[in-house]
Amino acid sequence: AQTVTQSQPEMSVQEAETVTLSCTYDTSENNYYLFWYKQPPSRQMILVIRQEAYKQQNATENRFSVNFQKAAKSFSLKISDSQLGDTAMYFCAFMKDNAGNMLTFGGGTRLMVKP
Amino acid sequence: DGGITQSPKYLFRKEGQNVTLSCEQNLNHDAMYWYRQDPGQGLRLIYYSQIVNDFQKGDIAEGYSVSREKKESFPLTVTSAQKNPTAFYLCASSPEQGAYYGYTFGSGTRLTVV
């Protein structure tokens, strides 16, 4: 079974600064997908960014980027130019390739962006 | 607009009662999922369905039941056998081919035992 670990229960960052959220996972699979989801106070889950394990290039979506280290089984999220609207819970998630499409989630990191 | 609708937003259950949470999607997605969210534990999979009239247990299926009679609908029943049902419940869907693009989530149902 796959496990996803987020070792930082809570983090804070000043507005306009950069913050990195950590995620590690455990799997014996070679092909898989990794995701970061954001859950703001409204509790609506929003997909932030995704990464295919077979791609070496790190994914980027505007101010959000990842550092994917396949050998280390690490998948961190970097938020640049943090904004107040980035305040939310962030969940890292794992999906095996061709295996029922289930997402396995980490325990989450609560991020507070301070003005 | 396409999306997933969960209802009700808040639900209160008395001890020993069964309650049903509704999840409807108009995205034409084949697969649907139910997750439970507790503080500090992330999301845990309860049940999932990849096709009409078929579903499988997830990691924490005990005390829950589901049905998938229509592609659009995947209701979750929390039975009296679920000893600690107070939680936030999220429904999600994905295309069967293309789930790796991520799920679409509903806005959730907060269930409280009174």
Side-chain angles (χ1 to χ4, degrees):
Chain A
Q2 282 63 232
T3 58
V4 179
T5 303
Q6 295 179 246
S7 60
Q8 306 150 313
E10 294 186 2
M11 296 189 71
S12 64
V13 63
Q14 292 296 131
E15 196 175 7
E17 294 189 345
T18 296
V19 64
T20 299
L21 280 58
S22 300
C23 173
T24 59
Y25 56 94
D26 184 22
T27 185
S28 58
E29 303 290 327
N30 188 50
N31 295 323
Y32 50 87
Y33 304 91
L34 295 162
F35 305 82
W36 278 98
Y37 277 87
K38 169 185 177 180
Q39 188 180 44
S42 67
R43 306 205 75 170
Q44 178 71 51
M45 293 286 283
I46 302 165
L47 178 63
V48 175
I49 199 166
R50 58 183 290 274
Q51 174 83 40
E52 295 96 331
Y54 60 85
K55 287 189 177 179
Q56 292 186 337
Q57 185 174 4
N58 289 323
T60 299
E61 289 287 343
N62 301 313
R63 298 183 294 108
F64 299 88
S65 61
V66 298
N67 183 4
F68 173 49
Q69 301 291 327
K70 191 172 183 180
K73 297 180 182 176
S74 171
F75 184 60
S76 60
L77 174 70
K78 185 172 81 172
I79 306 174
S80 304
D81 186 26
S82 296
Q83 300 176 359
L84 297 178
D86 295 334
T87 292
M89 283 289 290
Y90 287 82
F91 293 98
C92 179
F94 173 98
M95 179 187 291
K96 289 195 292 186
D97 191 15
N98 296 326
N101 305 324
M102 280 81 71
L103 275 174
T104 300
F105 288 86
T109 295
R110 184 177 303 278
L111 176 67
M112 173 71 72
V113 179
K114 298 179 178 179
Chain B
D1 287 338
I4 297 181
T5 301
Q6 287 189 244
S7 62
K9 191 174 180 69
Y10 299 97
L11 186 58
F12 297 90
R13 190 194 94 168
K14 293 182 180 179
E15 297 276 356
Q17 274 186 339
N18 293 353
V19 292
T20 298
L21 284 60
S22 172
C23 179
E24 303 275 337
Q25 55 101 357
N26 60 3
L27 299 164
N28 200 34
H29 284 172
D30 297 296
M32 297 186 74
Y33 315 83
W34 274 106
Y35 283 86
R36 169 177 171 146
Q37 185 177 14
D38 294 283
Q41 295 192 45
L43 280 68
R44 292 181 291 167
L45 182 65
I46 305 172
Y47 268 98
Y48 65 100
S49 169
Q50 294 176 290
I51 195 170
V52 174
N53 293 322
D54 188 46
F55 47 83
Q56 286 78 42
K57 293 181 179 180
D59 300 321
I60 56 165
E62 185 175 352
Y64 300 96
S65 66
V66 294
S67 63
R68 187 88 187 275
E69 298 177 1
K70 298 185 301 181
K71 187 176 185 178
E72 301 79 15
S73 179
F74 191 42
L76 173 74
T77 296
V78 184
T79 74
S80 57
Q82 172 49 241
K83 297 307 178 187
N84 184 22
T86 294
F88 188 65
Y89 292 86
L90 281 162
C91 179
S93 71
S94 69
E96 178 64 15
Q97 301 298 326
Y100 44 81
Y101 287 106
Y103 293 176
T104 300
F105 281 88
S107 55
T109 293
R110 176 74 185 177
L111 174 63
T112 303
V113 173
V114 296

